[in-house]
């Protein structure tokens, strides 16, 4: 029987060289020396820029840094060489870090603290490289062991690497005068049409109300089955990727339809030829130019379709990150939320939907792009009969967490009975903005053409842009 190999033996020869990991000892000494020379200002700067002792490679330097932080918290003592040495002596760690002589050498290692921020950035750089080494080495060990599910392992590795990238881009405190000046310029650029507040959906009443699909926001579009929420989402995608001067790359995660079905529907909507015309042989050769024109318009659309059924939130996160990095997507569309699954076992479906909803919101914030997610409404809406029956936030199926996580919650509403047996013509519909975290609500009127599965904005009237009346 072959002897069991260690993790180190599993690697190719020369992969794990016996040498120190990336670090800069002189810079570590300089940072600690600055904290001793000017504790009043330097310690606060280091805490803000470094945050954790792991940024120091030397174990002795980590111990000294921890001691300086503890002394800094204790307002009854001044931070100096004497108090630092005494603190370490009481903890029986003074000799381990090199004694008083070494502490004095740290104090004398610099003449000025003017370059402290640059030194902190250097420590952060080397700490990031060491974390990458840890993640990659651990990943290789787990891959060689072969005991884990490959898809989950890849997702975990991607998450670890993405966490390192985010830690590099950690936010810093900004003075308000700078922020308000920048935002004034941003608002004036919107007013002067130099930039857009968000990605415009192509439905003017909705864009006037919401400002479009804005970065970092979760935009929910909910409806009962067979109302047309997928068709409306595809109309929005078509407006963004084809029917605008500046097409935006979009990722469409379709858990309900195949990629072939989506392509057919977009082709027929763009050409304005009903798909049923091909099944019942009513298609005419004279319409071939329309179909050819639609192909030309659509074939260069920056649209990326993933038809994976039963997608989990971790799979969605991994795929979205990859598309964001490789294809520079600016919008994610998900059809639809209740068909997704959480990553592990949960006690209830409500808890699972809440976990999925929170995960989608986190993806929007992490990638700083909008996410348009479709959702199903519960059957309570069908019980409300009468002319004034409208979807409400309480009708969101299976979880109130969707309402909590979403920045905008909207509903697609129309009379489903009017389209039964309809071969041509149009019916009225409404895109109801029921919750808008950063703006007003509204009932936006649409016209729906069932034969080609196309929604269009109705002729603008003052009532279209007004918030719904409270009853």
């Amino acid at each position: 029987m072959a002897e069991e190999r260690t993790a180190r033996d599993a690697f190719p020869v020369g992969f794990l060289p016996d040498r120190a990991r990336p670090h800069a000892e002189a810079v570590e000494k300089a940072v600690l020396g600055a904290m001793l020379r000017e504790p009043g200002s330097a310690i606060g700067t280091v805490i803000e820029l470094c945050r954790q002792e792991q940024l120091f490679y030397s174990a002795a330097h980590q111990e000294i840094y921890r001691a300086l932080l503890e002394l800094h918290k204790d307002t009854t003592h001044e931070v100096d060489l004497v108090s630092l040495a005494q603190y370490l002596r009481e903890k029986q760690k003074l000799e381990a870090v090199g004694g008083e002589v070494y502490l004095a050498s740290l104090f004398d290692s610099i003449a000025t603290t003017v370059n402290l921020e640059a030194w902190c950035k250097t420590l952060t750089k080397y700490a990031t490289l060491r974390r990458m080494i840890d993640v990659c080495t651990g990943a290789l060990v787990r891959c060689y062991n072969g005991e884990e599910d490959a898809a989950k392992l890849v997702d975990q590795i991607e998450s670890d690497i993405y966490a390192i990238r985010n830690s590099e881009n950690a936010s810093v405190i900004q003075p308000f005068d700078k922020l308000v000046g920048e935002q004034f310029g941003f608002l004036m650029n919107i007013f002067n049409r130099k930039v857009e507040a968000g990605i415009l959906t192509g439905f003017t009443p909705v864009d006037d109300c919401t400002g479009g699909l804005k970065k970092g926001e979760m935009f929910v579009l909910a409806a009962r089955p067979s109302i047309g929420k997928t068709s409306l989402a595809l109309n929005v995608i078509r407006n963004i990727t084809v029917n605008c001067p500046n097409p935006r790359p979009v990722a469409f995660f379709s858990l309900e339809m195949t990629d072939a079905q989506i392509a057919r529907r977009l082709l027929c909507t763009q050409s304005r030829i009903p798909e049923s015309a091909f099944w019942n042989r009513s298609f005419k050769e004279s319409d071939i130019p329309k179909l050819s024109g639609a192909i030309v318009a659509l074939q260069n659309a920056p649209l990326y379709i993933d038809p994976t059924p039963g997608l989990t939130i971790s799979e969605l996160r991994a795929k979205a990150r990859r598309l964001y990095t490789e294809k520079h997507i600016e919008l994610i569309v998900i059809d639809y939320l209740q068909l997704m699954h959480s990553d592990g076992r949960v006690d209830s479906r409500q808890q699972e939907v809440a976990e999925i909803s929170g995960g989608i919101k986190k993806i929007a914030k992490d990638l700083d792009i909008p996410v348009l997610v479709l959702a199903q409404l519960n059957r309570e809406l069908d019980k409300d009969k009468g002319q004034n029956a409208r979807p409400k936030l309480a009708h969101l199926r299976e979880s109130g967490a969707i309402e909590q996580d979403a920045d905008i919650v909207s509903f697609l509403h129309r009379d489903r009975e009017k389209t039964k047996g309809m071969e041509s013509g149009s019916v009225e519909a409404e895109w109801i903005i029921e919750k808008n975290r950063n703006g007003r609500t509204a009932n936006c009127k649409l016209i729906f053409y069932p034969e080609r599965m196309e929604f269009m904005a109705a002729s603008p009237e003052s009532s279209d842009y007004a918030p719904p009346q409270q009853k």
Side-chain angles (χ1 to χ4, degrees):
M1 182 175 179
E3 294 182 1
E4 184 178 350
R5 297 190 301 170
T6 65
R8 190 181 187 86
D9 294 333
F11 293 113
V13 176
F15 179 80
L16 292 175
D18 294 319
R19 66 178 187 180
R21 296 189 298 167
H23 70 286
E25 185 177 359
V27 177
E28 292 185 10
K29 289 182 177 180
V31 169
L32 295 174
M35 295 172 75
L36 283 168
R37 274 189 174 273
E38 297 182 10
S41 59
I43 292 180
T45 300
V46 176
I47 290 174
E48 179 183 351
L49 298 179
C50 293
R51 297 183 300 281
Q52 53 185 335
E53 66 268 16
Q54 282 74 18
L55 290 180
F56 293 89
Y57 178 71
S58 164
H61 291 167
Q62 290 182 19
E63 198 63 58
I64 294 169
Y65 179 66
R66 279 193 291 264
L68 286 168
L69 293 187
E70 290 300 319
L71 289 171
H72 182 66
K73 292 177 185 176
D74 187 356
T75 56
T76 61
H77 294 88
E78 294 291 332
V79 179
D80 53 28
L81 273 173
V82 176
S83 61
L84 176 61
Q86 182 61 27
Y87 178 88
L88 290 168
R89 186 180 291 110
E90 291 174 356
K91 299 293 183 181
Q92 299 181 348
K93 294 178 179 178
L94 180 59
E95 296 305 318
V97 301
E100 294 183 57
V101 174
Y102 187 73
L103 297 182
S105 71
L106 293 176
F107 186 88
D108 295 332
S109 64
I110 60 169
T112 176
T113 63
V114 68
N115 293 322
L116 179 57
E117 290 191 12
W119 297 335
C120 289
K121 290 179 181 178
T122 299
L123 291 191
T124 300
K125 179 187 74 172
Y126 283 119
T128 299
L129 294 176
R130 294 196 298 272
R131 288 183 65 188
M132 280 297 298
I133 290 172
D134 290 339
V135 168
C136 294
T137 304
L140 282 169
V141 171
R142 293 163 68 182
C143 289
Y144 271 99
N145 288 339
E147 297 174 355
E148 301 179 57
D149 178 77
K152 291 183 178 179
L153 178 57
V154 170
D155 179 64
Q156 183 60 54
I157 295 169
E158 285 186 340
S159 296
D160 292 341
I161 293 175
Y162 200 78
I164 295 174
R165 175 184 292 179
N166 280 351
S167 67
E168 275 280 84
N169 299 324
S171 59
V172 295
I173 298 172
Q174 296 286 350
F176 185 68
D177 58 344
K178 178 183 177 183
L179 290 172
V180 75
E182 289 176 349
Q183 294 310 306
F184 171 76
F186 176 68
L187 292 173
M188 292 308 296
N189 284 335
I190 293 175
F191 175 74
N192 294 321
R193 300 185 181 276
K194 293 181 179 179
V195 298
E196 295 173 345
I199 300 175
L200 301 181
T201 65
F203 293 88
T204 303
V206 176
D207 293 329
D208 286 346
C209 175
T210 65
L213 304 166
K214 297 189 285 294
K215 290 182 177 181
E217 290 194 350
M218 176 178 170
F219 191 122
V220 172
L221 171 61
R224 287 292 293 140
S226 301
I227 295 298
K229 59 182 180 292
T230 301
S231 296
L232 182 55
L234 287 174
N235 291 169
V236 171
I237 290 172
R238 188 167 62 99
N239 290 339
I240 293 171
T241 60
V242 179
N243 299 338
C244 69
N246 182 28
R248 309 290 189 91
V250 175
F252 183 33
F253 293 91
S254 175
L255 288 82
E256 190 172 36
M257 297 174 63
T258 67
D259 48 4
Q261 289 173 323
I262 295 166
R264 283 201 304 270
R265 177 154 322 174
L266 284 171
L267 187 59
C268 291
T269 302
Q270 183 70 20
S271 64
R272 297 196 168 184
I273 300 173
E275 189 172 344
S276 60
F278 298 91
W279 315 142
N280 61 25
R281 299 187 178 277
S282 61
F283 176 73
K284 303 174 183 177
E285 288 191 14
S286 59
D287 287 332
I288 290 180
K290 292 181 182 179
L291 205 58
S292 300
I295 292 173
V296 172
L298 292 170
Q299 63 185 358
N300 294 321
L303 175 59
Y304 306 94
I305 300 172
D306 186 314
T308 305
L311 201 65
T312 66
I313 193 65
S314 62
E315 290 171 338
L316 172 66
R317 184 166 52 245
K319 290 171 182 283
R321 285 176 187 159
R322 195 172 299 116
L323 286 167
Y324 178 78
T325 302
E326 296 175 1
K327 304 300 183 182
H328 310 292
I329 58 170
E330 297 183 35
L331 170 65
I332 294 171
V333 181
I334 303 168
D335 182 20
Y336 58 90
L337 185 147
Q338 283 90 352
L339 290 178
M340 292 185 63
H341 297 288
S342 62
D343 296 314
R345 296 179 63 88
V346 290
D347 296 332
S348 65
R349 178 57 181 167
Q350 286 75 16
Q351 182 182 342
E352 183 177 31
V353 171
E355 187 176 314
I356 294 166
S357 176
I360 291 172
K361 175 61 180 176
K362 190 174 186 302
I363 291 171
K365 290 183 67 177
D366 288 346
L367 299 183
D368 194 28
I369 61 175
V371 177
L372 171 60
V373 55
L374 309 189
Q376 197 90 286
L377 296 178
N378 59 39
R379 294 183 180 274
E380 292 300 315
L381 179 61
D382 293 338
K383 297 177 182 178
D384 296 335
K385 301 296 182 182
Q387 203 170 9
N388 295 321
R390 292 289 186 277
K392 302 175 184 177
L393 292 173
H395 291 139
L396 281 170
R397 183 176 169 187
E398 294 179 319
S399 178
I402 301 173
E403 175 189 348
Q404 176 182 320
D405 294 325
D407 297 277
I408 296 174
V409 178
S410 66
F411 302 112
L412 177 62
H413 178 69
R414 65 178 178 85
D415 189 344
R416 190 165 38 188
E417 297 298 320
K418 288 185 178 180
T419 58
K420 288 185 176 180
M422 229 177 127
E423 295 184 0
S424 62
S426 63
V427 296
E428 293 181 351
E430 290 178 282
W431 192 341
I432 304 169
I433 310 300
E434 186 71 11
K435 173 193 173 182
N436 187 355
R437 184 168 286 161
N438 299 308
R440 62 185 175 85
T441 58
N443 284 9
C444 306
K445 294 182 180 178
L446 306 177
I447 301 297
F448 179 49
Y449 297 88
E451 61 176 357
R452 60 177 189 261
M453 308 301 283
E454 183 176 21
F455 286 89
M456 299 184 72
S459 300
E461 300 174 7
S462 58
S463 59
D464 292 347
Y465 300 89
Q469 294 296 319
Q470 298 295 325
K471 296 188 178 180

